[in-house]
């Protein structure tokens, strides 16, 4: 009781202190130093209509490379901690016929929609991370509906590594062509899709990077699901 | 050569880590040697950058995607970053060699990836010039550290990792709130521009934001009261990883703290944040030293001693003067050398004898004379005996606090050194004057590494001038914010 009361009092003090800090931040005023620049120049400089993805992949692409790495570490870490010499799925109850049939019908659509999200990252809201998560959802559905389903691990693991390398390689090509790491050579040097802004074939390297991220996130999250659903079996 | 190639420091560990799944089929040995090769190349790149920065005297500014700051993210590799990037790469290389013997637990491919990404995260934290990017690299470092702490899969490793992950999670949320507050108030994330605008920020926002950021980084930097995870994690993590934690992960956190602190120099209310940090640093020293005094496990004892040294560094940074920052940087360098030596030697003993309790160190002088010799050199150095490297940095810390008029800090440093002498000389006594034993073969590679590090301790101790001049330049890089702003080619957005 005393503990809880003390915790509540401490929280109130911290909350009051944070509110004091927040009160000093002007609310609803124009504080966009850098933000205005992005909004004014995004179309000419990156070819993307979606300003958020242009910032995330192009202007601040370095952060996104880092975020992709964070996810990679999460999946690697789960893999390292749950590693067993032999693992199998030990689920017991088969799903009902409605569930299995429904899943069979639904999975292709979910995957298609996931691919749609990450391919259209420079045009519509979304991008690589939501697209990849949607694809992983399709695999989660398969795991939940079928007791024996397993993803092809070898292929998934290799894809995960290969697309990760592809992202860094795109950056390194930029270093070789334009002299800067993560330089958007497709848009700035080749001018590919310049009169096509707002359509699919534009946006410089954003669609390419987002396809890479989508595949990577999809395989990684599916790998985490796979690792967590399996149990050790004796040989 | 083009300075932009310094981005290879980030690109190389990343692409190498992503490559590991494709070569894991070639077996355990192949993965371990691959790890050594990658860290060796990274050390080469870091040495090239170090040489570039220190001969020209100009920082290398890497602009990712050719966007000029503050629109894009830039890396700022000045004197400090060049020095520590080299230390990070060299320590990683030594630990990759040590991993050949020390790591037998499966899955080795995942270990190699996490190892490379830990190195990458620390490199990025030191090199970046953008506070949100700093957060991303901090997360990379922290999450690979969580996974590596639990890597041995014992009960205590899981417990240590759990503590670390919860504290780290809370800490990074604090950090993120702090970043959001500062972004809300100033409208930019670039460090140089923040420093430029720091004078205009509302004092309450600056205080709350800075305090949140310091609390967030304190988890990584092992500042009391957020360092409860550290002794457990040091004890439970694989031996090479422990040396990496103490050698550079802590240093990256401390540096980030000092960098952000000094960026906001111009803001009102800055002095109260210095006061907060000096209190926390002092408590860190006291708690660390007293806890080390009563440990029965040598690895844990050295872990507590490492925490106490971190307290010294924090106090140095909190003095708020050029001399204090220089001394703190010098202590960071010396501490990195000595603690890597200690953890390498103790880890080596633990691998061969199967544990690191104090009883096992009886008669070590007869059984493993070279390792015992290396531990002795390290222990004498940490206590601050003249002609060893830590003596000079403690000396500089004392002189800096004298100049800043903080006599309490001097008393703290001297008293802590006495406590250190007690527990380190107890260890030395146990190794050389008790127990009996047969000679055990010590292994060529590890003997060479131990000799190299011990030689470094003595060389810096006898000829401190060169190392001290490097530390002064690196300290100036942190303290002299006006120069920092001038070096970053800001485009005139919003100014």
């Amino acid at each position: 009781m005393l503990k809880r009361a003390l915790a509540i009092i401490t929280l109130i003090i911290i909350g009051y202190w944070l509110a004091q800090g927040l009160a000093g931040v002007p609310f609803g005023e124009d504080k966009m130093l850098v933000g205005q620049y992005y909004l004014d120049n995004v179309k000419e400089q990156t070819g993307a209509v979606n300003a958020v993805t242009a910032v995330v992949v192009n202007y601040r692409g370095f952060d996104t490379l880092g975020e992709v790495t964070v996810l990679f570490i999460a999946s690697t870490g789960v893999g390292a901690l749950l590693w067993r010499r032999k693992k199998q799925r030990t689920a017991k109850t088969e799903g009902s016929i409605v569930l299995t049939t429904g899943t069979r019908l639904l999975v292709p659509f979910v995957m298609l929609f996931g691919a749609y999200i990450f391919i259209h990252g420079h045009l519509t809201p979304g991008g690589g991370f939501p697209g990849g998560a949607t694809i992983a959802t399709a695999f989660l559905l398969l795991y939940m509906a079928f007791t024996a389903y397993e993803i092809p691990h070898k292929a998934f693991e290799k894809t995960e590594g290969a697309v990760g390398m592809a992202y860094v390689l795109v950056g390194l090509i930029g270093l070789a062509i334009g002299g800067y790491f993560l330089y958007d050579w497709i848009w700035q040097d080749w001018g590919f899709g310049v009169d096509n802004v707002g359509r699919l074939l534009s946006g410089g390297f954003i669609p390419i990077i987002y396809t890479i991220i989508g595949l990577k996130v999809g395989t990684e999250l599916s790998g985490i699901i796979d690792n967590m659903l399996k149990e050790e079996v004796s040989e | 050569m083009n300075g932009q190639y310094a981005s290879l420091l980030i690109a190389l560990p990343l692409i190498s880590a992503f490559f590991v799944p494709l070569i894991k089929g070639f077996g355990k040995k192949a993965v371990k040697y691959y790890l050594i090769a990658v860290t060796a190349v990274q050390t080469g790149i870091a040495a090239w950058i170090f040489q570039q920065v220190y001969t020209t005297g100009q920082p290398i500014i890497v602009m990712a995607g050719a966007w000029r700051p503050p629109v894009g993210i830039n890396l700022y590799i000045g004197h400090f970053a060049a020095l520590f990037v080299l230390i990070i790469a060299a320590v990683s290389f030594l630990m990759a060699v040590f991993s050949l013997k020390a790591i037998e637990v499966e899955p080795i491919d995942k270990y190699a990836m996490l190892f490379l990404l830990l190195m990458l995260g620390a490199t990025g934290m030191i090199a970046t010039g953008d506070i949100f990017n700093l957060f991303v690299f901090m997360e990379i470092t922290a999450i690979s550290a969580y996974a590596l702490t639990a890597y041995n899969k014992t009960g205590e490793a899981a417990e240590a990792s759990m503590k670390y992950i919860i504290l780290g999670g809370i800490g990074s949320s604090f950090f993120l709130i702090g970043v959001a507050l500062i972004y809300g108030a100033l409208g930019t994330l670039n460090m140089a521009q923040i420093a430029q605008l720091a004078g205009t920020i509302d004092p309450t926002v600056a205080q709350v934001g800075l305090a949140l950021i310091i609390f967030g980084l304190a988890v990584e930097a092992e500042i009391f009261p957020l360092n409860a995870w550290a002794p457990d994690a040091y004890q439970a993590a694989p031996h090479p990883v422990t040396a990496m934690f103490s050698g550079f992960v802590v240093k990256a956190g401390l540096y980030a703290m000092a960098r952000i602190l000094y960026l906001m120099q111009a803001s009102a209310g800055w002095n109260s944040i210095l006061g907060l940090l000096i209190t926390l640093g002092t408590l860190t020293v006291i708690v660390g030293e007293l806890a080390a005094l009563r440990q029965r496990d040598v690895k844990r004892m050295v872990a507590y001693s490492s925490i106490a040294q971190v307290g010294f560094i924090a106090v140095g940074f909190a003095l708020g003067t050029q001399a204090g920052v220089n001394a703190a940087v010098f202590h960071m360098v010396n501490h990195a050398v000595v603690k890597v030596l200690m953890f390498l030697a103790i880890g080596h003993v633990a691998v061969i004898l199967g544990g690191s309790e104090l009883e096992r160190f009886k008669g070590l002088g007869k059984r493993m004379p070279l390792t015992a010799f290396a531990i002795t050199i390290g222990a004498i150095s940490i206590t601050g005996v003249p002609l060893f490297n830590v003596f000079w940095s403690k000396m500089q810390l004392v002189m800096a606090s004298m100049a800043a008029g903080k006599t309490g800090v001097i008393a703290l440093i001297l008293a802590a050194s006495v406590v250190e002498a007690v527990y380190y000389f107890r260890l030395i006594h146990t190794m050389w004057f008790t127990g009996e034993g047969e000679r055990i073969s010590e292994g060529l590679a590890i003997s060479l590494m131990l000799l190299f590090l011990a030689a470094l301790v003595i060389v810096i101790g006898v000829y401190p001038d060169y190392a001290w001049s490097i530390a002064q330049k690196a300290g100036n890089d942190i303290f002299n914010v006006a120069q920092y702003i001038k070096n970053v080619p800001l485009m005139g957005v919003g100014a």
Side-chain angles (χ1 to χ4, degrees):
Chain A
M1 194 55 215
L2 186 67
K3 238 183 181 172
R4 183 169 295 178
L6 277 177
I8 291 173
I9 293 170
T10 320
L11 279 179
I12 290 175
I13 294 174
I14 294 177
Y16 176 73
W17 179 66
L18 278 180
Q20 283 295 306
L22 261 178
V25 177
F27 184 75
E29 277 176 41
D30 187 8
K31 258 293 173 189
M32 298 205 296
L33 281 188
V34 190
Q36 198 58 49
Y37 179 89
Y38 291 140
L39 291 181
D40 292 342
N41 297 294
V42 64
K43 264 197 237 165
E44 305 86 77
Q45 290 188 340
T46 66
V49 187
N50 184 343
V52 176
T53 49
V55 172
V56 168
V57 180
N58 211 324
Y59 291 111
R60 298 180 62 93
F62 217 52
D63 279 343
T64 307
L65 188 58
E67 289 302 341
V68 171
T69 313
V70 167
L71 250 173
F72 179 71
I73 298 170
S75 113
T76 312
V78 170
L81 300 188
L82 299 179
W83 189 88
R84 299 284 181 275
R85 200 156 288 285
K86 200 165 160 70
K87 281 167 71 173
Q88 256 175 29
R89 293 204 58 194
T90 49
K92 293 207 173 57
T93 330
E94 188 74 48
S96 73
I97 183 100
V98 180
L99 182 66
T100 50
T101 318
T103 304
R104 251 184 251 276
L105 288 173
L106 210 53
V107 161
F109 287 103
V110 176
M111 289 208 179
L112 195 66
F113 185 59
Y116 165 80
I117 292 178
F118 66 66
I119 290 170
H120 289 76
H122 55 303
L123 304 172
T124 56
F129 290 94
T134 311
I135 288 182
T137 314
F139 286 106
L140 181 63
L141 265 178
L142 288 173
Y143 268 101
M144 292 302 181
F146 301 98
T147 49
Y149 181 77
E150 278 194 44
I151 55 168
H153 316 271
K154 284 255 162 65
F156 264 50
E157 225 173 33
K158 296 231 153 62
T159 320
E160 193 183 324
V163 289
M165 283 171 70
Y167 192 166
V168 186
L169 271 181
V170 171
L172 287 176
I173 294 172
L175 182 64
I177 294 179
Y180 293 96
F181 186 54
L182 289 175
Y183 177 71
D184 185 357
W185 35 282
I186 298 180
W187 181 261
Q188 313 236 6
D189 282 357
W190 295 0
F192 181 78
V194 171
D195 14 283
N196 216 11
V197 175
R199 290 165 182 271
L200 186 57
L201 292 179
S202 69
F205 69 5
I206 295 177
I208 297 179
I209 299 258
Y210 261 157
T211 308
I212 289 170
I213 295 178
L215 289 175
K216 192 161 174 57
V217 172
T219 45
E220 262 157 16
L221 294 181
S222 312
I224 292 180
I225 296 168
D226 176 74
N227 264 311
M228 290 192 150
L229 275 177
K230 285 201 208 152
E231 284 168 72
E232 184 167 22
V233 290
S234 47
E235 297 178 28
Chain B
M1 229 165 125
N2 186 342
Q4 296 299 324
Y5 283 94
S7 53
L8 287 175
L9 280 178
I10 307 290
L12 176 79
L14 258 183
I15 204 165
S16 324
F18 292 144
F19 189 62
V20 172
L22 304 179
I23 61 156
K24 70 179 248 202
F26 295 107
K28 267 166 98 167
K29 271 268 172 316
V31 174
K32 283 179 180 171
Y33 282 113
Y34 171 78
L35 193 58
I36 295 176
V38 173
T39 45
V41 176
Q42 175 89 352
T43 313
I45 301 173
W48 166 69
I49 287 167
F50 180 80
Q51 188 260 338
Q52 284 281 311
V53 170
Y54 275 82
T55 47
T56 61
Q58 283 301 311
I60 297 176
I61 310 286
V62 175
M63 287 182 270
W67 303 109
R68 281 176 62 189
V71 167
I73 293 172
N74 69 304
L75 300 184
Y76 180 95
I77 306 179
H79 286 102
F80 184 91
L83 173 63
F84 270 84
V85 162
L86 180 60
I87 291 179
I88 290 170
V91 171
S92 305
F93 172 67
L94 294 179
M95 289 308 124
V97 176
F98 183 34
S99 300
L100 270 183
K101 282 268 156 49
I103 301 294
E104 285 305 324
V105 183
E106 285 284 356
I108 209 78
D109 58 314
K110 304 260 192 297
Y111 174 80
M113 291 184 236
L114 292 169
F115 184 102
L116 285 173
L117 293 171
L118 187 67
M119 173 173 89
L120 164 90
T123 309
M125 273 176 88
I126 300 267
T128 188
D130 185 285
I131 50 172
F132 186 76
N133 198 233
L134 175 66
F135 172 75
V136 172
F137 279 118
M138 186 176 112
E139 285 295 280
I140 293 180
T141 317
I143 298 176
S144 31
Y146 306 149
L148 283 170
T149 303
Y151 184 77
N152 281 339
K153 302 190 196 71
T154 56
E156 59 170 3
E159 190 195 327
S161 180
M162 191 71 195
K163 275 187 196 164
Y164 189 7
I165 205 167
I166 290 174
L167 266 175
I170 296 172
S172 37
S173 342
F174 272 160
F175 184 87
L176 199 57
I177 299 173
V179 169
L181 268 181
I182 289 179
Y183 181 70
L186 293 179
T188 182
L189 292 167
N190 187 277
M191 287 184 184
Q193 205 176 14
I194 287 177
Q196 233 174 20
L197 301 174
T200 66
I201 192 171
D202 182 285
T204 330
V205 181
Q207 265 180 21
V208 175
L210 267 179
L212 282 171
I213 284 181
I214 284 182
F215 267 109
L217 284 167
V219 178
E220 281 309 303
E222 297 168 15
I223 305 283
F224 183 81
L226 295 160
N227 55 8
W229 60 272
D232 291 352
Y234 277 59
Q235 196 177 10
H239 303 299
V241 175
T242 310
M244 288 167 81
F245 281 176
S246 173
F248 59 74
V249 174
V250 189
K251 305 295 181 331
L254 278 168
Y255 157 75
M257 203 180 247
R259 172 64 90 199
I260 296 183
L261 195 62
Y262 281 94
L263 285 181
M264 306 281 279
Q265 240 169 0
S267 71
W270 187 66
N271 277 314
S272 58
I273 297 291
L274 282 189
L276 169 77
L277 189 57
I278 213 165
T279 318
L280 292 181
T282 311
L283 286 173
T284 311
V285 176
I286 296 171
V287 172
E289 297 289 15
L290 292 182
L293 198 54
R294 24 184 329 219
Q295 296 306 318
R296 303 300 304 164
D297 187 294
V298 176
K299 208 176 166 194
R300 202 172 171 86
M301 183 183 97
V302 179
Y304 274 114
S305 149
S306 185
I307 290 173
Q309 304 300 318
V310 166
F312 283 143
I313 300 171
V315 167
F317 279 130
L319 288 176
T321 61
Q322 175 77 65
V325 174
N326 290 350
V329 172
F330 195 27
H331 200 56
M332 276 165 97
V333 176
N334 287 333
H335 179 244
V337 174
V338 174
K339 275 291 147 65
V340 170
L341 170 68
M342 290 299 270
F343 279 115
L344 176 62
I346 291 166
H348 183 45
V349 173
V351 167
I352 288 185
L353 303 181
S356 59
E357 296 85 11
L358 194 58
E359 288 74 46
R360 291 186 207 265
F361 283 73
K362 277 185 186 158
L364 198 72
K366 301 188 182 71
R367 287 191 287 177
M368 299 167 71
L370 187 76
T371 314
F373 170 72
I375 296 178
T376 311
I377 297 265
I380 294 176
S381 178
I382 296 173
T383 47
V385 173
L387 294 184
F388 290 91
N389 62 354
V390 175
F391 167 73
W392 296 107
S393 49
K394 279 192 178 171
M395 189 71 200
Q396 291 294 344
L397 271 173
V398 168
M399 285 181 1
S401 1
M402 197 115 77
K406 299 264 199 293
T407 36
V409 174
I410 303 174
L412 174 78
I413 295 171
L414 296 180
S417 299
V418 174
V419 180
E420 275 164 4
V422 173
Y423 61 79
Y424 274 119
F425 287 140
R426 188 177 65 197
L427 172 65
I428 294 174
H429 180 265
T430 315
M431 285 192 310
W432 293 102
F433 301 111
T434 60
E436 285 298 318
E438 290 293 299
R439 233 2 244 284
I440 302 174
S441 150
E442 293 174 80
L444 180 66
I446 292 176
S447 306
L448 281 178
M449 289 196 289
L450 286 173
L451 280 177
F452 168 72
L453 287 166
L456 207 57
V457 168
I458 293 171
V459 168
I460 299 178
V462 179
Y463 303 102
D465 291 341
Y466 180 64
W468 174 235
S469 74
I470 288 180
Q472 275 174 316
K473 281 183 191 158
N476 193 39
D477 189 35
I478 297 180
F479 189 76
N480 192 346
V481 177
Q483 189 62 40
Y484 180 86
I485 299 173
K486 228 193 311 174
N487 284 334
V488 180
L490 285 175
M491 59 194 287
V493 173

